[in-house]
Amino acid sequence: LQAAGANWVWWSPVGRDNEVEGSRLAFGGRGVRSHYDLKAANVVVSLDCDFQNNHPDSLRLSADFATRREPELGDMSRLYAIESRFTSAGVVSDHRLPVRSADIGAVLELIEAELGRGAAGARATELKANTKIAGFVKAVADALRERFSGDEIRLLTIIAGLIIGVLCLVPQLVGAGHLFNLLVPGLD
């Protein structure tokens, strides 16, 4: 095609460009699409992402998540959904926090601050005054501390995903999710 002077152009109204850009912001270099291993995840924090329904890997992610939800088979994973609309992930979550999509990054800041991994910004500090949000943030942080205690190595997965419709989460939030994964002690 290049010899003929043609260019290959691809466009989608609901592409994953912000996910790729977020990984580039987090890691530098060329962006990549994230692949999550929910079979190994003990704690999943879903940030406005319906990973069971509106994600390119939704079938695999749903099956992987389900393998860790059988109490007879041992330790179950925990799902914390922070979302601006009802999703399949929120329905099966252990804890669901409904917030405006614009506030999801601020809730992530609160979780990071609760774990001693950063300072909460102005909007996050405003949200912390809400007892429901503060309680949710504490529950997430407690679950992470419980799972990362002792010599056990536990895996945290944060899924920053697609908002239904035509909007994606901003790349900075996806990048923050990747960096948060890196900051949690014991992460493989």
Side-chain angles (χ1 to χ4, degrees):
L1 289 176
Q2 286 181 344
N7 292 321
W8 181 269
V9 179
W10 181 84
W11 178 83
S12 172
V14 278
R16 308 294 296 180
D17 296 344
N18 284 341
E19 180 180 358
V20 172
E21 179 64 11
S23 69
R24 189 192 63 72
L25 290 172
F27 304 121
R30 197 176 115 216
V32 296
R33 195 172 121 214
S34 303
H35 294 274
Y36 303 101
D37 184 3
L38 298 186
K39 287 181 184 176
N42 291 308
V43 177
V44 178
V45 180
S46 176
L47 303 172
D48 219 8
C49 176
D50 191 1
F51 67 89
Q52 293 194 316
N53 202 21
N54 292 323
H55 191 279
D57 292 330
S58 62
L59 186 60
R60 181 187 59 81
L61 290 170
S62 294
D64 289 355
F65 178 71
T67 63
R68 294 293 309 280
R69 300 298 287 180
E70 305 246 1
E72 302 82 26
L73 299 178
D75 196 20
M76 287 179 40
S77 64
R78 306 297 292 172
L79 172 58
Y80 296 85
I82 304 165
E83 54 189 24
S84 61
R85 79 246 182 260
F86 288 107
T87 67
S88 300
V91 168
V92 300
S93 67
D94 299 293
H95 304 276
R96 179 182 179 271
L97 179 66
V99 295
R100 296 179 326 141
S101 57
D103 289 336
I104 291 175
V107 175
L108 179 59
E109 285 179 18
L110 285 173
I111 295 168
E112 291 174 325
E114 183 74 22
L115 291 169
R117 302 276 177 224
R123 180 62 183 151
T125 304
E126 288 175 25
L127 290 176
K128 192 172 184 177
N130 179 316
T131 56
K132 184 175 181 176
I133 293 174
F136 184 92
V137 166
K138 183 176 181 338
V140 172
D142 288 348
L144 294 173
R145 285 188 199 103
E146 174 188 323
R147 301 292 184 155
F148 284 94
S149 64
D151 294 329
E152 293 181 308
I153 296 176
R154 300 295 187 164
L155 179 63
L156 165 70
T157 299
I158 292 184
I159 299 176
L162 185 67
I163 296 176
I164 293 176
V166 297
L167 298 175
C168 288
L169 292 176
V170 295
Q172 290 79 6
L173 180 56
V174 180
H178 285 298
L179 291 175
F180 185 66
N181 281 338
L182 295 175
L183 292 173
V184 175
L187 181 70
D188 281 341

